[in-house]
């Protein structure tokens, strides 16, 4: 895979932003199988980080580059600080950045497929929330979306951790708003095109109860849901490395070699 560090001025954030990208190559070197000569622009996975991390974390803690190599898949990894992928009540316009400006910049600067059927989004923890929010808000843009140990019940999180999240969402109840994934499940249940959803969580995770509430709500609202409950794991990278690989197998098919 080719590794690129994309830097551009963000109008939404009014600051230079950095995005890490891996792009397919026809020859990956020793021990990594390429997808062959690309016949079309690569598919795109927007891969989102968690609350305590940044755009570098997926490359540092997992083998995501190797998992993407055999699938003609580009992986785009932005940084959004502690924003919950939201236009912050007291801060920056990170929703505008990740939902509108980032895809436009990625397609302007890189050779990527622009077809919704070639576009997925996934993330861990806060990034799982962001991935679901993008897919449920704009279902027409994505073929699939994945949440690993996601902070999917943001209304509950704002009640449990008000001092942390008031800066992001404001001192208000977000239930039933555009920030509430349960509300978005219902609001866009009748969308003509809806992405498949992959939702997983470790059984020892502090977000386990939120997971147990979210995936049945998605199924009840008529979304195509694959859910995984993994015993023996908490909120940890040993799980997320496994899950990004499992997600890619689910979303793009298992390769012959990795």
């Amino acid at each position: 895979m080719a590794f690129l560090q994309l830097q551009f001025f963000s109008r939404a954030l009014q600051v230079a932003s950095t995005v890490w990208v891996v792009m397919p190559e026809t020859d990956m070197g020793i021990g990594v199988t390429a997808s062959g000569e690309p016949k079309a622009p690569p598919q795109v996975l927007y891969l989102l980080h968690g609350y305590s991390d940044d755009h570098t974390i997926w490359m540092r803690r997992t083998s995501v580059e190797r998992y993407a190599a055999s699938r003609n898949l580009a992986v785009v990894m932005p940084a959004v600080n502690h924003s919950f992928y939201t236009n912050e009540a007291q801060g920056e316009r990170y929703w505008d950045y990740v939902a509108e400006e980032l895809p436009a910049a990625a397609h302007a600067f890189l050779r990527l497929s622009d077809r919704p059927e070639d576009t997925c989004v996934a993330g861990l923890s806060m990034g799982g929330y962001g991935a679901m929010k993008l897919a449920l808000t704009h279902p027409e843009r994505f073929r699939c979306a994945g949440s690993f140990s996601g902070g999917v019940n943001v209304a509950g999180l704002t009640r449990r951790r008000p001092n942390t999240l008031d800066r992001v969402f404001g001192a208000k109840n977000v239930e039933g708003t555009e920030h509430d994934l349960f509300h978005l499940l219902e609001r866009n249940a009748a969308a003509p095109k809806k992405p498949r959803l992959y939702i997983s969580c470790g059984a020892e995770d502090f977000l386990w109860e939120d997971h147990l509430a979210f995936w049945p709500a998605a199924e009840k609202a008529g979304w195509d849901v694959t859910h995984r409950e993994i015993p023996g794991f908490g909120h940890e990278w040993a799980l997320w490395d496994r899950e990004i690989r499992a997600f890619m197998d689910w979303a793009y098919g298992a390769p012959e070699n990795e």
Side-chain angles (χ1 to χ4, degrees), residues 3-6 18-22 55-56 59 75-78:
F3 168 70
L4 299 86
Q5 180 170 282
L6 175 62
T18 301
V19 182
W20 276 15
V21 184
V22 291
H55 60 292
T56 70
M59 294 281 282
V75 183
V76 178
M77 295 163 280

Side-chain angles (χ1 to χ4, degrees), residues 43-48 76 95 98-100 102-104 107 113-123 129-146 188 191-197 223-224 247 250-252:
Q43 301 178 88
V44 187
L45 171 62
Y46 293 94
L47 191 55
L48 310 183
V76 178
W95 174 253
V98 76
E100 305 296 340
L102 174 66
H107 286 93
S113 174
D114 60 1
R115 304 191 311 162
E117 55 266 39
D118 289 337
T119 306
C120 296
V121 61
Y129 167 79
M132 290 293 114
K133 185 177 180 182
L134 283 165
L136 300 181
T137 304
H138 298 293
E140 75 284 356
R141 296 185 185 180
F142 300 98
R143 179 169 60 82
C144 60
N188 290 328
K193 291 185 178 181
K194 295 189 294 187
R196 295 189 297 147
L197 306 180
W223 297 78
D224 182 352
F247 173 80
W250 171 84
Y252 306 104

Side-chain angles (χ1 to χ4, degrees), residues 231-258:
F233 285 93
H235 212 67
E236 57 186 297
W237 280 101
L239 174 64
W240 300 325
D241 184 44
R242 287 176 39 162
E243 281 303 288
I244 187 57
R245 183 174 184 174
F247 173 80
M248 286 187 179
D249 288 346
W250 171 84
Y252 306 104
E256 293 182 4
N257 296 290
E258 281 186 335

Side-chain angles (χ1 to χ4, degrees), residues 47-88:
L47 191 55
L48 310 183
H49 67 78
Y51 188 80
S52 61
D53 300 315
D54 64 11
H55 60 292
T56 70
I57 198 65
W58 281 104
M59 294 281 282
R60 293 192 289 120
R61 298 284 175 84
T62 77
S63 295
V64 64
E65 180 180 7
R66 182 165 58 85
Y67 302 152
S70 56
R71 295 177 167 91
N72 193 36
L73 176 65
V75 183
V76 178
M77 295 163 280
V80 302
N81 294 319
H82 289 164
S83 69
F84 266 78
Y85 299 86
T86 294
N87 287 344
E88 298 170 307

